[in-house]
Amino acid sequence: MKTKTHLQNLLPSSCNGYNSESSSSSPPSSPRRPTRVSHCRRRLRFKAQLQPRPENFFAGILFRRNLRLFLLVPLCYVSGLLMCVGTFSSVLRPPPLPGSVYRSPEVFQKLWHEIQSDNSSAIELSSVWRHSRRLKEQKPCANTTAGQYLESPEPIGYLIVEANGGLNQQRSSICNAVAVAGLLNAVLVIPRFNFHIRSEDALLEINDGFGEIYDEDHFIATLKNYVTVVRDLPEVVMERYDNNISNIPISRVKAWAPVSYYMGEVSPILRDQGYASQLDGISEIEQQPLGLLRLSLRRILVIRIAPFANRLAMQVPPYIQFLRCLANYEALRFSVPISTLANKLVNRMIEKSSRIGGKYVSVHLRFEEDMVAFSCCEYDGGEAETLEMDSIREKGWKGKFKSKERVIKPGLNRINGKCPLTPLEVGMMLRGMGFDNNTTIYLASGKIYQAESNLAPLLKMFPLVQTKNSLASLDELAFFEGYSSRLAALDYTVCLFSEVFVTTQGGNFPHFLMGHRRFLYSGHAKTIKPDKRKLVILLQDTQISWKAFKEQMEAMLVESDRRSKGKKAWHLCNAGIGIEKSRVQVVVESLDDMSRLV
C-alpha cells in the first residue's frame, strides 16, 4: 500500500492541472518538475483567455470598431488634405511668364486653316518701300583727306594680322586692318585666315586663303593710293624667321582699342623697337654703322597682331572710317568662282519670281544645331532634346555651360528675345505681315536642326522656298562643299540683291548686309527686323485669333520700317559703325554689273 502511494506521488500532475494527494499523512513528496508543470499551466491559462466571456464580448466588438475608426479617420483626413493641396497648388502655382514657353506649334495648328485661306491682303513686293530702288553705275570713292594724316611718305614697317571667325567676322578684321595700317603708316600683308569649325569628333582648323574668298588683285589695286598692300613679306625678312611666319612674335592688342591706344602703345613698337632683338647675332648688320643699322631696321620691322577680331574701336576719326568703308564696299570683292556662281543664283531667283516681277524675299535663318545649343533655349523636343543639346554643348564648348557662374534659364532667354526663331515662327510672322504663299523666299542658312520636321510648316505656308542647294547643282557646289565661308559668300550675295531682307538673329552677317544694302540703294532697301520679345508672347497665346495675330504683325512691320528709316548712318562692319553718305557713293547700273560689287 505504501508502495502504491509512493508511486502515485512520483507521477506527474494530470493534464487537468490537479495533483493526486492522499488525506493520510505521508512522508514529504519528491521535488516536482517545475519546467513541465509551468508549461502546462501557461497553456491552460492561454486557453482560458481565449474562451470568450460574456461580459467582455461586447467590449471587444466596440474596441475593434473604435480601432478601425481611429485608423480610418486620420487616413481620410490625410487623403483629403493631399487632394486639397494638389488642387489648390495647381491654382496657386504661378502660370509661366508670358513668352517663356515655346507653344508656337500649338498656335500654328489652331490657326492653320485661317492662314491657308487668307491671301486677302497680300503685300506687293514692288511697293514695300515708298522710294524706288534702282541700281546705278558704280562710281569710285571720293578723294578724301585720308592721305594727309600719314606722317611719312614711306611706310615704316609691315603689319600682319590673323583674321579669325567666320566670313563676316573675317571681313570686319580686314576692314579694321586696312584702317590700322593707314593709321600706323605700315605696309599691310594680305590677312591670314584662321577658321575653327566644330565637328562631331574634334575641333578642326581650316585655313581658307584670302584668295579663295576675295579677289586679291582687285583688293591691292583699290587701296594702292591709300594703303600699300603686299601678298607676302619680302624674302629677306622671311629668311630671318626661318621662312615661317609663325616664328614672328605675336603682339596682343586689347579689344575695341581706340586710335590713341594704337598711337601710344603700338606705333612706338613699330617705329623704334620693332623686333630688333630677333636680329641679334647677325654679323652683317652688326658691322654696319649706326645710321645704316637704323635704316636696315626701319626696312624690316614687323608687327604681328593675333587675334585681330574687334581690335579697333567703333568710333574713329573720319579719315580712318573712310579707309574701313573703302575696304568694305569697294576693295573687298568675292573671287571669280564665288561671284560667278553667286550671280547665277541671283538670276535663278529672279526667274523663279517672275510671277511677282522678279522680286524675292531673303531670310537669314539661324536655326542650326550649334546655334540652338549655344542659345540654351528649349523647344518642343522634351527630354530627348535636352540631352542632345547638353551633349552638343559639352562637345563644342567643353564644360563652359556647366560652370557654377553660368545659370541656364531657357524661359528667360526666350522672353529676352535671345532664342533663334524657328522656321515655323518665321513663316507665321511673314504670313501675318501680309506675304502670301506666292512669295518666293531665299533661305540663307547652314544645316537646319532637324530640318525635315522643322521646315515642314514653313513649306506649307511658303511652297516657293529656295536655298543654294536647291538652286545649284552638285557639280556647281563641289568647290564650296566643306568650306562654310565660301557657302556663306553665296548666301550673302543672294541676300544682297533681294527686294526684302529678313533678319531673325543678331550677328555680323545681318549687320554687314543691312549696311551694304543701304549703301547700294541710297538707303532704300527693305529690311525686316522683328520684335522678338513681342513675337514670343503672341506665339505663346493658344487662344489668340488669326485676325488679332495679323494685326499685331502688321503693326510690327510698320514699326520695323520706322526704325529703319530713322537711321541716318550707313552701317559698316558692326552695329554702331557708320559713315555719312557723302563719304563714299557706290551704285551700279544694272544687275549685270553686280559682279563688280561682289
Side-chain angles (χ1 to χ4, degrees):
M1 186 68 179
K2 291 182 179 180
T3 303
K4 183 178 179 180
T5 304
H6 180 69
L7 291 174
Q8 289 177 347
N9 292 331
L10 294 177
L11 290 173
S13 302
S14 63
C15 291
N16 57 13
Y18 294 97
N19 291 330
S20 300
E21 294 183 359
S22 174
S23 58
S24 60
S25 62
S26 60
S29 59
S30 300
R32 299 177 180 177
R33 303 169 100 176
T35 304
R36 191 174 183 105
V37 173
S38 166
H39 174 71
C40 292
R41 287 180 179 176
R42 282 198 301 269
R43 288 176 57 191
L44 291 173
R45 282 197 300 267
F46 179 73
K47 287 182 179 181
Q49 291 175 358
L50 290 179
Q51 293 178 357
R53 296 181 181 181
E55 63 273 14
N56 295 331
F57 179 73
F58 293 104
I61 294 175
L62 291 175
F63 174 76
R64 285 193 296 270
R65 288 184 178 179
N66 291 335
L67 181 62
R68 291 174 184 172
L69 290 175
F70 179 76
L71 296 175
L72 183 60
V73 170
L75 183 61
C76 292
Y77 176 77
V78 173
S79 301
L81 184 62
L82 292 175
M83 292 176 63
C84 291
V85 170
T87 303
F88 284 107
S89 63
S90 61
V91 175
L92 297 176
R93 184 186 301 122
L97 295 174
S100 63
V101 180
Y102 178 70
R103 288 178 178 162
S104 303
E106 300 175 45
V107 178
F108 173 71
Q109 291 298 330
K110 176 179 176 289
L111 301 178
W112 167 236
H113 291 296
E114 295 179 75
I115 297 173
Q116 192 175 19
S117 59
D118 182 17
N119 283 319
S120 58
S121 59
I123 286 181
E124 293 292 336
L125 287 181
S126 59
S127 62
V128 293
W129 196 259
R130 67 172 58 183
H131 301 281
S132 60
R133 195 185 72 153
R134 190 164 67 91
L135 296 170
K136 299 179 181 179
E137 182 180 1
Q138 180 181 3
K139 297 179 181 180
C141 292
N143 191 6
T144 71
T145 57
Q148 75 182 41
Y149 289 90
L150 304 179
E151 298 180 4
S152 172
E154 295 295 330
I156 61 174
Y158 293 92
L159 172 64
I160 300 174
V161 301
E162 295 182 7
N164 57 302
L167 174 70
N168 292 286
Q169 187 170 330
Q170 291 171 352
R171 192 181 187 105
S172 175
S173 297
I174 295 168
C175 296
N176 286 334
V178 171
V180 170
L183 183 66
L184 299 177
N185 191 24
V187 175
L188 176 64
V189 181
I190 288 286
R192 303 173 71 238
F193 289 169
N194 288 330
F195 177 70
H196 296 84
I197 182 172
R198 292 176 176 83
S199 70
E200 294 182 358
D201 301 322
L203 188 67
L204 304 178
E205 181 172 321
I206 298 177
N207 292 321
D208 205 352
F210 186 98
E212 276 73 42
I213 305 297
Y214 299 106
D215 186 332
E216 286 187 356
D217 293 333
H218 179 77
F219 183 75
I220 294 172
T222 303
L223 296 172
K224 67 178 181 180
N225 292 327
Y226 304 95
V227 174
T228 301
V229 182
V230 296
R231 288 182 172 83
D232 301 295
L233 284 172
E235 184 177 349
V236 64
V237 178
M238 289 299 298
E239 288 177 354
R240 304 192 188 285
Y241 299 102
D242 296 329
N243 293 309
N244 187 351
I245 204 168
S246 298
N247 291 334
I248 300 176
I250 294 176
S251 295
R252 302 291 181 183
V253 175
K254 67 179 183 180
W256 310 112
V259 169
S260 59
Y261 176 87
Y262 279 97
M263 299 307 296
E265 301 292 335
V266 181
S267 181
I269 297 176
L270 194 59
R271 288 178 177 278
D272 303 325
Q273 299 177 17
Y275 291 106
S277 60
Q278 299 291 322
L279 304 177
D280 292 345
I282 301 177
S283 58
E284 61 269 23
I285 291 182
E286 289 179 343
Q287 294 172 0
Q288 294 180 12
L290 180 61
L292 292 178
L293 174 61
R294 290 177 61 84
L295 183 61
S296 298
L297 291 178
R298 178 178 291 273
R299 287 200 303 266
I300 61 173
L301 294 182
V302 181
I303 187 167
R304 177 185 171 207
I305 303 176
F308 197 69
N310 304 325
R311 288 305 185 270
L312 182 61
M314 292 182 181
Q315 300 299 327
V316 294
Y319 72 97
I320 297 300
Q321 187 68 9
F322 166 79
L323 292 177
R324 280 205 287 208
C325 186
L326 180 68
N328 188 37
Y329 294 145
E330 291 199 39
L332 286 176
R333 187 171 70 182
F334 289 131
S335 63
V336 173
I338 291 176
S339 60
T340 299
L341 181 56
N343 295 343
K344 290 180 180 179
L345 298 187
V346 172
N347 290 328
R348 289 169 190 175
M349 281 300 300
I350 294 173
E351 292 173 4
K352 291 183 178 295
S353 309
S354 58
R355 295 173 57 186
I356 51 176
K359 302 180 185 298
Y360 62 92
V361 176
S362 62
V363 178
H364 183 224
L365 184 65
R366 294 308 313 273
F367 202 68
E368 300 92 348
E369 184 179 81
D370 59 341
M371 189 66 189
V372 175
F374 187 81
S375 69
C376 297
C377 296
E378 292 180 351
Y379 294 90
D380 57 348
E383 184 65 22
E385 177 189 292
T386 301
L387 294 175
E388 183 180 9
M389 291 298 105
D390 287 342
S391 176
I392 294 170
R393 283 190 285 265
E394 184 61 26
K395 287 181 180 179
W397 292 277
K398 302 298 182 184
K400 176 180 178 180
F401 291 87
K402 291 185 177 180
S403 62
K404 295 181 180 179
E405 295 78 15
R406 193 178 188 99
V407 180
I408 298 177
K409 296 182 178 180
L412 189 59
N413 290 344
R414 185 167 175 81
I415 291 173
N416 291 332
K418 296 181 179 180
C419 293
L421 292 181
T422 65
L424 181 151
E425 292 172 325
V426 173
M428 289 192 67
M429 177 188 72
L430 292 178
R431 287 301 293 265
M433 290 178 175
F435 295 92
D436 64 14
N437 58 4
N438 291 318
T439 305
T440 308
I441 293 179
Y442 180 82
L443 208 59
S445 176
K447 185 178 179 182
I448 300 296
Y449 173 59
Q450 296 185 354
E452 184 176 355
S453 59
N454 284 318
L455 284 175
L458 177 63
L459 294 175
K460 290 176 69 175
M461 290 181 277
F462 293 98
L464 302 180
V465 170
Q466 302 290 337
T467 65
K468 51 185 171 288
N469 298 94
S470 64
L471 292 172
S473 66
L474 292 177
D475 291 339
E476 289 175 320
L477 291 174
F479 173 76
F480 301 83
E481 287 300 327
Y483 295 89
S484 59
S485 291
R486 301 180 192 180
L487 292 169
L490 296 178
D491 284 340
Y492 186 95
T493 305
V494 181
C495 291
L496 183 63
F497 293 100
S498 64
E499 189 70 21
V500 178
F501 171 64
V502 182
T503 173
T504 63
Q505 192 79 359
N508 289 315
F509 186 99
H511 288 155
F512 266 99
L513 198 59
M514 287 188 289
H516 205 161
R517 284 166 55 81
R518 283 174 168 271
F519 193 77
L520 289 181
Y521 303 110
S522 299
H524 310 312
K526 182 80 165 184
T527 296
I528 297 176
K529 189 175 181 181
D531 185 347
K532 293 169 64 175
R533 295 186 180 187
K534 181 178 180 180
L535 185 60
V536 296
I537 294 175
L538 297 173
L539 290 174
Q540 185 176 318
D541 184 4
T542 56
Q543 303 303 316
I544 194 170
S545 66
W546 174 242
K547 180 181 178 181
F549 181 80
K550 191 171 182 179
E551 289 175 352
Q552 292 290 336
M553 291 300 98
E554 291 171 350
M556 186 179 294
L557 179 60
V558 171
E559 177 62 17
S560 177
D561 288 347
R562 187 193 65 80
R563 292 198 309 266
S564 298
K565 294 172 186 176
K567 295 179 181 178
K568 297 180 180 179
W570 301 82
H571 290 283
L572 177 67
C573 297
N574 290 289
I577 299 180
I579 188 166
E580 296 299 323
K581 176 183 175 182
S582 59
R583 283 287 176 193
V584 185
Q585 181 73 23
V586 179
V587 286
V588 294
E589 184 173 1
S590 67
L591 285 174
D592 294 334
D593 295 326
M594 65 187 172
S595 61
R596 294 194 293 172
L597 290 174
V598 295

